[in-house]
């Protein structure tokens, strides 16, 4: 096992102690200490306490376990896995602080298992360990969604589960085929091409893409994120898609298909976001859109593309957590985060608004926020490989992101041109400038600080932690001026069309319609016509059996009682069935 | 002076819209901007980008909405049928 303690496994196993800690204060301290212990292990690992980490792609190899003819490896410690693990653990701590007042112990248990299994999946070197931990993460995520306790959350939790089981199935099928043909079980660069020999890699890619929330298999994401528990769904939003993209970065860098899929995802999600009425669904579409950037970065595949992808994942986990926290504060304080029911909250939730806005500016890529640095890398990578269409679509996605997260969402939740919220919400609010509980505000401050710090000074420790050496200078006059001018004019268009970006009490269909509506049709076909046919068959067979019994008991009377043709028919059926039964019995 | 919505919008038009256009022209004139594609050198390209993309997004989405937007209980009804 070696001297290294696996932080993911530590957090997962430590989770089971939570329900046994009697005192609530002790429990709360433990909830913070457990992931902090993981963070300490990561820091010690970085400092070379368990051996020096070689330059990427070199790695330290820990926790190697022999299994059948293979050696599973739970701890591949290289710069790529370390940066993911750091951000997972730090954001996990911020989320646990945010959810500290939650009384349901099992929510905390599921959350810690989700964080731990995601970290473990990141450290896995072989495909089977990766899939194993991703499946644990899926299970815990389903519970985290169910903790909302509503009928819709139950249904969408099941849908989330189905999607991820399908993804896991594809991944496992592809992995087994890969292992059979090559003999290698490692989650590393995979071959790519067109044709039957590459079928295994198509399966693996489909699995990763479903997990990553790529178009057209993205629809589970807003569905699950908008119906999950107020605080519990935050964990799902941060880690599940990023673990999928991590798989893509490891296995399929430089696959051009991914570049195009990424830009399409980035743009399509924004069109759907315009029509949204629910703040959390809107954030869900933005997560999809940003995932598009990352997938595009993987597809570009140059050093800068991969760096853009990885740094965007890191920035994104931080600011998307902040955005979702903002929506969750409104949901937990007012009981709703639908645009048609909110507005005018600024007077009562000021600090949450400003903290949210830091997340909004970061995701839009505003200068001096972390999104700017990472997004510029991906866009520059597209420019350097001379892809004007990809470049324009990514810029278009930047415009759309600014429109929604920095204009539409804050305007609809906190303002809508009103000083006071609607009466039914006003009664839930106290007369003070901030109604959000203090632990939630502290939870939001951690990612908000990171968003600003990484934006203002990305060189240390952010650049140092990235897998490849970085000489990218984000703050040039050209870049800062261009994006600022673009945002000024985006606001202008949004201002003229502001009546169109208000929420409407409607539901927007997505690509899951293709599965759900035929699914319902299939269920209603089974319930209606198929059941009726089954019942008819049942009745007919019983009748036949009745006649057969009578015929066997007293053939003479039966023939007299029934018309001769039916009698003959019945006799034939009985004979055929008896013969069939005899053959079958003999066969067995 | 009291900060009102009208005042903020006036400041936005003068310093934001006007200012960014003037600065853009000056930066281009003094050759301070370095891009990768020729079309990026069109004066006010990023202003057009922001305004046009935003309008396309909102209006395009509203058009898409004709097919996609349904009542809130759309799936509930389907399920019950």
């Amino acid at each position: 096992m070696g001297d290294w303690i696996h932080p993911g496994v530590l957090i997962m196993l430590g989770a089971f102690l939570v329900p046994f800690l009697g005192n609530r204060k002790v429990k709360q301290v433990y909830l913070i200490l457990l992931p902090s212990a993981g963070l300490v292990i990561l820091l010690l690992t970085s400092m070379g306490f368990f051996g020096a980490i070689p330059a990427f792609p070199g790695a330290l190899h820990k926790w190697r376990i022999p299994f059948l003819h293979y050696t599973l490896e739970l701890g591949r410690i290289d710069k790529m896995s370390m940066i993911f693990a750091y951000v997972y653990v730090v954001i996990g701590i911020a989320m646990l602080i945010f959810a500290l007042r939650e009384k349901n112990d099992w929510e905390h248990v599921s959350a810690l298992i989700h964080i731990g299994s995601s970290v473990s999946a990141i450290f896995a070197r072989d495909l089977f360990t990766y899939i194993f931990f991703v499946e644990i993460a899926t299970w815990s995520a389903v519970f985290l969604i169910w903790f909302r306790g509503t009928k819709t959350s139950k249904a969408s939790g099941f849908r989330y589960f189905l999607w991820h089981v399908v993804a896991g199935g594809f991944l496992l099928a592809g992995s087994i085929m890969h292992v059979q043909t090559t003999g290698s079980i490692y989650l590393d660069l995979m071959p790519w091409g067109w044709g039957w020999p590459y079928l295994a890699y198509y399966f693996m890619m489909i699995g990763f893409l479903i997990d990553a929330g790529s178009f057209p298999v993205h629809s589970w994401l807003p569905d699950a994120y908008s119906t999950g528990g107020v605080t519990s769904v935050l964990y799902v939003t941060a880690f599940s898609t990023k673990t999928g993209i991590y798989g893509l970065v490891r296995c399929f860098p430089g696959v051009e298909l991914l570049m195009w899929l990424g830009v399409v995802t980035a743009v399509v999600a924004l069109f759907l976001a315009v029509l949204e009425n629910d703040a959390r669904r809107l954030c869900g579409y933005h997560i999809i859109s940003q995932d598009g950037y990352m997938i595009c970065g993987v597809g570009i595949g140059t050093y800068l593309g991969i760096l853009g992808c990885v740094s965007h994942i890191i920035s994104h986990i931080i600011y998307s957590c902040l955005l979702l926290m903002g929506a969750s504060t409104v949901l937990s304080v007012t009981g709703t985060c639908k645009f048609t029911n909110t507005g005018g909250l600024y007077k009562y939730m000021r600090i949450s608004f400003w903290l949210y806005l830091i997340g909004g500016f970061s995701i839009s890529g505003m200068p001096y926020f972390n999104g700017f640095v990472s997004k510029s890398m991906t866009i520059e990578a597209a420019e350097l490989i001379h892809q004007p269409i990809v470049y324009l679509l990514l810029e278009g996605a930047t415009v759309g992101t600014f429109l929604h997260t920095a204009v539409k969402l804050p305007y609809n939740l906190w303002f809508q041109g009103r000083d006071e919220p609607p009466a039914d919400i006003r009664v839930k609010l106290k007369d003070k400038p901030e109604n959000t509980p203090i632990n939630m505000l502290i939870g939001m401050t951690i990612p908000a600080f990171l968003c600003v710090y990484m934006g203002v000074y990305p060189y240390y420790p952010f650049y140092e932690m990235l897998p490849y050496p970085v000489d990218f200078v984000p703050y040039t006059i050209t870049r800062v001026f261009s994006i600022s001018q673009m945002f000024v004019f985006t606001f202008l268009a949004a201002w003229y069309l502001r009546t169109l970006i208000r929420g409407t009490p409607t539901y927007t269909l997505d690509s899951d319609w293709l599965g759900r509506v035929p699914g319902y049709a299939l269920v209603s076909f089974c319930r209606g016509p198929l059941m009726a046919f089954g019942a008819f068959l049942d009745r007919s067979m019983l009748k036949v059996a009745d006649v057969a019994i009578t015929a066997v008991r007293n053939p003479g009377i039966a023939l007299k009682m029934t018309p001769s043709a039916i009698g003959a028919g019945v006799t034939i059926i009985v004979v055929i069935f008896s013969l069939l039964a005899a053959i079958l019995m003999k066969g067995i | 002076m009291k900060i009102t919505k009208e005042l903020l919008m006036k400041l936005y038009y003068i310093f934001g819209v006007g200012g960014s256009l003037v600065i853009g022209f000056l930066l281009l004139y003094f050759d301070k901007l370095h891009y990768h594609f020729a079309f990026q050198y069109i004066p006010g390209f990023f202003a057009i980008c922001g305004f046009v993309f935003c309008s396309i997004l909102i209006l395009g989405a509203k058009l898409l909405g004709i097919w996609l937007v349904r009542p809130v209980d759309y799936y509930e009804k389907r399920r019950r049928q």
Side-chain angles (χ1 to χ4, degrees):
Chain A
M1 285 281 179
D3 45 0
W4 186 63
I5 303 166
H6 195 306
V9 175
L10 175 80
I11 295 171
M12 271 167 77
L13 294 179
F16 290 102
L17 275 182
V18 175
F20 301 106
L21 300 171
N23 192 328
R24 193 150 163 253
K25 287 271 180 259
V26 176
K27 212 174 275 181
Q28 289 179 340
V29 172
Y30 180 73
L31 282 175
I32 310 297
L33 278 183
L34 184 61
S36 304
L39 187 60
V40 170
I41 295 172
L42 290 176
L43 284 169
L44 289 175
T45 314
S46 284
M47 286 156 64
F49 204 75
F50 305 104
I53 302 172
F56 189 77
L60 271 180
H61 301 286
K62 303 279 182 188
W63 284 43
R64 298 165 81 109
I65 301 167
F67 178 73
L68 301 178
H69 305 297
Y70 304 103
T71 307
L72 302 183
E73 188 176 315
L74 273 74
R76 167 169 56 183
I77 307 164
D78 60 10
K79 286 191 104 177
M80 182 92 86
S81 52
M82 281 302 284
I83 191 169
F84 272 80
Y86 266 117
V87 76
Y88 277 24
V89 172
V90 170
I91 289 304
I93 295 171
M95 285 173 174
L96 283 163
I97 295 174
F98 188 83
L100 213 53
R101 293 194 185 195
E102 177 59 49
K103 291 193 183 85
N104 187 348
D105 284 347
W106 294 104
E107 180 179 319
H108 297 306
V109 174
S110 307
L112 286 168
I113 292 176
H114 193 67
I115 297 168
S117 55
S118 302
V119 172
S120 306
I122 292 302
F123 275 121
R125 186 182 178 200
D126 62 283
L127 286 157
F128 297 110
T129 312
Y130 174 84
I131 294 170
F132 176 74
F133 285 117
V134 166
E135 290 302 313
I136 295 179
T138 301
W139 268 105
S140 50
V142 172
F143 285 106
L144 289 169
I145 295 164
W146 280 345
F147 280 128
R148 186 82 206 272
T150 59
K151 215 175 155 190
T152 43
S153 73
K154 259 182 203 161
S156 68
F158 267 120
R159 286 195 291 274
Y160 177 93
F161 179 67
L162 285 176
W163 273 108
H164 282 78
V165 162
V166 170
F170 270 112
L171 206 53
L172 190 63
S175 306
I176 291 172
M177 286 160 80
H178 170 70
V179 173
Q180 282 293 322
T181 47
T182 62
S184 157
I185 59 165
Y186 295 129
L187 184 80
D188 265 322
L189 188 63
M190 299 286 169
W192 182 256
W194 296 106
W196 287 108
Y198 297 99
L199 189 65
Y201 310 108
Y202 304 154
F203 281 171
M204 283 169 78
M205 189 180 270
I206 292 172
F208 285 136
L209 285 175
I210 295 177
D211 278 347
S214 160
F215 177 81
V217 281
H218 61 272
S219 52
W220 60 267
L221 197 149
D223 184 26
Y225 291 7
S226 62
T227 49
V230 179
T231 50
S232 59
V233 84
L234 289 171
Y235 307 99
V236 190
T237 62
F239 307 131
S240 59
T241 54
K242 308 307 169 294
T243 313
I245 296 173
Y246 171 81
L248 284 177
V249 180
R250 287 275 188 196
C251 301
F252 301 109
V255 175
E256 198 180 334
L257 173 76
L258 287 178
M259 181 178 78
W260 293 108
L261 209 56
V263 281
V264 170
T265 308
V267 174
V268 168
L270 293 173
F271 276 101
L272 292 165
V274 177
L275 304 167
E276 267 320 316
N277 186 38
D278 186 307
R280 295 201 295 172
R281 263 185 91 85
L282 190 140
C283 290
Y285 278 116
H286 278 283
I287 291 176
I288 298 172
S289 173
Q290 300 304 306
D291 288 349
Y293 273 92
M294 300 159 203
I295 296 169
C296 179
V298 179
I300 289 170
T302 55
Y303 276 114
L304 196 60
I306 300 294
L307 280 177
C309 168
V310 174
S311 55
H312 203 54
I313 292 174
I314 305 308
S315 311
H316 176 79
I317 292 174
I318 297 169
Y319 60 63
S320 75
C321 149
L322 190 52
L323 291 179
L324 261 299
M325 280 177 175
S328 285
T329 51
V330 174
L331 181 63
S332 76
V333 170
T334 66
T336 178
C337 61
K338 288 204 168 29
F339 299 148
T340 37
N341 304 338
T342 51
L345 285 171
Y346 181 68
K347 204 169 150 187
Y348 303 98
M349 297 180 75
R350 285 183 194 183
I351 305 172
S352 354
F353 165 74
W354 287 108
L355 286 171
Y356 164 83
L357 207 61
I358 290 176
F361 284 159
S362 299
I363 194 175
S364 331
M366 188 81 91
Y368 302 104
F369 294 93
N370 65 358
F372 175 80
V373 178
S374 52
K375 221 179 247 192
S376 306
M377 277 191 206
T378 314
I379 292 178
E380 173 113 346
E383 286 177 321
L384 286 175
I385 58 160
H386 307 292
Q387 286 285 358
I389 297 173
V390 174
Y391 163 77
L392 278 175
L393 287 173
L394 289 182
E395 288 286 24
T398 308
V399 167
T401 312
F402 177 76
L403 164 72
H404 292 128
T405 49
V407 182
K408 178 179 170 172
L409 199 150
Y411 173 74
N412 279 306
L413 279 187
W414 278 278
F415 298 103
Q416 292 198 32
R418 283 200 292 254
D419 286 337
E420 288 287 334
D424 57 328
I425 289 179
R426 178 65 190 87
V427 292
K428 294 176 189 167
L429 299 167
K430 289 178 192 139
D431 282 323
K432 54 183 184 180
E434 187 54 60
N435 277 265
T436 312
I438 184 78
N439 67 306
M440 288 191 166
L441 292 178
I442 296 171
M444 286 176 86
T445 312
I446 297 170
F449 168 76
L450 287 173
C451 280
V452 177
Y453 178 74
M454 281 164 65
V456 174
Y457 193 73
Y459 305 100
Y460 189 84
F462 180 41
Y463 271 17
E464 297 283 314
M465 290 162 75
L466 286 171
Y468 300 112
V470 194
D471 56 357
F472 178 76
V473 182
Y475 294 106
T476 60
I477 294 177
T478 310
R479 219 172 271 129
V480 172
F481 164 74
S482 308
I483 205 152
S484 308
Q485 191 183 41
M486 199 159 76
F487 286 160
V488 167
F489 280 83
T490 304
F491 183 79
L492 188 68
W495 182 254
Y496 281 124
L497 299 169
R498 63 188 180 279
T499 48
L500 292 180
I501 57 171
R502 288 194 176 209
T504 48
T506 50
Y507 182 86
T508 313
L509 299 184
D510 201 341
S511 59
D512 59 349
W513 186 90
L514 296 170
R516 284 174 82 172
V517 170
Y520 290 142
L522 183 71
V523 170
S524 60
F525 170 74
C526 291
R527 276 189 186 155
L530 201 63
M531 288 298 277
F533 181 67
F536 165 75
L537 269 186
D538 249 15
R539 284 197 304 274
S540 314
M541 286 312 289
L542 281 174
K543 263 184 203 164
V544 170
D546 267 352
V547 174
I549 290 165
T550 321
V552 172
R553 276 186 185 158
N554 201 336
I557 292 174
L559 282 175
K560 269 181 204 163
M561 275 168 63
T562 51
S564 52
I566 297 175
V570 169
T571 318
I572 292 166
I573 290 171
V574 170
V575 170
I576 291 172
F577 270 93
S578 318
L579 277 174
L580 271 176
I583 293 166
L584 274 174
M585 294 289 269
K586 209 175 177 187
I588 291 162
Chain B
M1 197 162 62
K2 205 181 164 225
I3 299 168
T4 58
K5 203 164 84 181
E6 285 71 29
L7 178 74
L8 282 176
M9 282 313 285
K10 211 177 267 177
L11 288 174
Y12 163 72
Y13 276 116
I14 296 168
F15 292 104
V17 177
S20 78
L21 282 176
V22 172
I23 294 170
F25 289 130
L26 287 176
L27 285 175
L28 261 185
Y29 184 76
F30 290 108
D31 201 20
K32 294 280 181 206
L33 300 177
H34 308 288
Y35 295 113
H36 289 86
F37 301 117
F39 58 80
Q40 290 167 312
Y41 285 102
I42 299 168
F45 171 74
F46 287 90
I48 300 166
C49 232
F51 194 87
V52 170
F53 279 145
C54 184
S55 311
I56 291 177
L57 206 61
I58 297 175
L59 299 173
K62 287 285 159 188
L63 266 181
L64 265 181
I66 297 171
W67 291 287
L68 295 183
V69 166
R70 297 295 153 99
V72 179
D73 57 350
Y74 175 76
Y75 281 123
E76 292 292 309
K77 271 187 185 163
R78 288 259 157 177
R79 196 179 297 158
R80 261 181 263 131
Q81 270 172 11

